[in-house]
Amino acid sequence: MKKYTDTGKKDTRSGFGDGLTELGKKNEDVVALCADLTGSLKMDDFKKNHPERFFQVGIAEANMIGMAAGMTIGGKIPFTGTFANFSTGRVYDQIRQSVAYSGKNVKICASHAGLTLGEDGATHQILEDIGLMKMLPGMTVINTCDYNQTKAATIAIADYEGPVYLRFGRPKVANFTPEDQNFQIGKAVLLQEGADVTIIATGHLVWEALQAAETLFEKGIHAEVINIHTIKPLDDEAILKSVKKTGCVVTAEEHNFLGGLGESVARLLSTQHPAPQELIATQDTFGESGTPEQLMDKYGLNASAIVNAVNKVIARK
């Protein structure tokens, strides 16, 4: 069994900030806009190094999206930055009309997504943003798992023509993907091979899936683990290949089961290759205040919950 090592916990938002800083040095068309959360989004270095390409719009997220859409007409590549709740729910009309419908090359970068925002509570813990964004025609949706992958994704989307939603988080989490990885939009990453069950995870749940796979291995269950960083477009080929081999699947995400990764996988399997599936996700509920660890435990978004789901789905084969 392949072992993965946490090289030192880092927050994924710092991966975004460092990726943006690197982009600023090599691509003069990259501009950054922030809605009064420069420090939280780790955009300080870009602001310091490229003040003429940084725009602090204040607490005016709708205006930020409109400005970003306009900048693309002149050939700029705008990266907008604020919390996921404010990046999607608060400005959905502007994203739909000015970015998605118009096909503008805007990169909507959203930090503090999901329950792991923690103590700020339900008003800030958006758990429906993936669903909101993947339903928009032409919108690419990316949800990264660690610092290295977030940095690589930030750099990669600058070269991609079209609107992108890049989702990442607040807390320091395991950093285990390669520093020099080649991030390919729309391509799943096979982390662990196995023949008994497929575990498809995204975001912070990828590390939990790997921990679950180790526990299952000790019990004689060989899990195949797939990292889905791009939820739209989904890597249908990789998912179908794995599930045809294992015969069952568990999906894991820090998001509502309605509208998330699990739903996309269920749609694919129902039309291409029906198989038993269990979904690790929040169950049509809002979050609450607490530490990230407390919340992930209470809402069943951890390695232990994945192990239980695997046992359940294998029994259904």
Side-chain angles (χ1 to χ4, degrees), residues 40-317:
S40 295
L41 269 288
K42 306 296 184 181
M43 301 171 80
D44 303 87
D45 282 348
F46 187 95
K47 176 183 178 181
K48 177 182 177 182
N49 297 327
H50 313 286
E52 77 286 358
R53 287 192 272 147
F54 179 82
F55 302 88
Q56 177 57 267
V57 304
I59 306 174
E61 293 87 356
N63 287 345
M64 178 173 68
I65 295 298
M67 290 168 62
M71 289 177 180
T72 67
I73 297 174
K76 299 303 180 185
I77 306 172
F79 282 66
T80 66
T82 186
F83 291 177
N85 198 20
F86 308 143
S87 289
T88 56
R90 179 172 286 184
V91 294
Y92 198 67
D93 180 58
Q94 283 73 24
I95 293 173
R96 183 183 187 274
Q97 308 290 59
S98 300
V99 177
Y101 176 68
S102 303
K104 294 296 187 291
N105 191 32
V106 176
K107 315 307 176 186
I108 302 167
C109 304
S111 181
H112 293 57
L115 287 174
T116 48
L117 171 56
E119 290 82 355
D120 285 3
T123 56
H124 286 53
Q125 295 163 343
I126 193 162
L127 295 164
E128 58 273 15
D129 55 315
I130 290 174
L132 287 170
M133 300 304 278
K134 80 175 187 180
M135 285 190 294
L136 291 172
M139 181 68 69
T140 293
V141 179
I142 297 172
N143 185 40
T144 50
C145 68
D146 69 358
Y147 167 91
N148 286 340
Q149 191 170 82
T150 307
K151 181 179 179 181
T154 302
I155 295 169
I157 64 175
D159 293 327
Y160 175 83
E161 182 67 31
V164 175
Y165 179 58
L166 176 61
R167 181 190 205 246
F168 44 94
R170 175 190 188 186
K172 292 184 177 181
V173 295
N175 190 37
F176 59 95
T177 65
E179 185 176 357
D180 59 348
Q181 64 190 274
N182 176 27
F183 188 92
Q184 293 182 280
I185 295 172
K187 292 296 182 182
V189 181
L190 179 60
L191 297 177
Q192 193 75 252
E193 291 192 46
D196 297 325
V197 61
T198 299
I199 303 176
I200 300 173
T202 187
H204 293 154
L205 271 293
V206 175
W207 178 252
E208 297 297 321
L210 288 171
Q211 302 310 296
E214 288 191 20
T215 299
L216 291 164
F217 184 78
E218 294 172 358
K219 298 179 179 179
I221 298 173
H222 298 87
E224 185 144 292
V225 180
I226 299 176
N227 173 6
I228 295 286
H229 51 65
T230 307
I231 296 173
K232 182 188 174 189
L234 194 66
D235 192 342
D236 294 358
E237 182 180 355
I239 293 170
L240 289 171
K241 180 180 179 181
S242 179
V243 177
K244 285 177 181 179
K245 176 174 65 172
T246 65
C248 60
V249 60
V250 171
T251 53
E253 61 192 307
E254 188 184 347
H255 187 271
N256 194 339
F257 79 96
L258 297 168
L261 169 66
E263 186 179 83
S264 290
V265 172
R267 174 203 54 78
L268 171 65
L269 295 179
S270 68
T271 57
Q272 301 285 331
H273 186 77
Q277 178 181 350
E278 293 290 330
L279 286 74
I280 296 296
T282 58
Q283 301 298 305
D284 194 21
T285 182
F286 291 103
E288 61 186 287
S289 183
T291 67
E293 294 77 14
Q294 289 172 332
L295 294 169
M296 297 293 268
D297 182 61
K298 177 173 180 178
Y299 288 85
L301 307 181
N302 54 24
S304 176
I306 294 173
V307 169
N308 291 337
V310 165
N311 290 328
K312 185 175 180 180
V313 80
I314 287 178
R316 295 171 54 198
K317 287 173 70 172

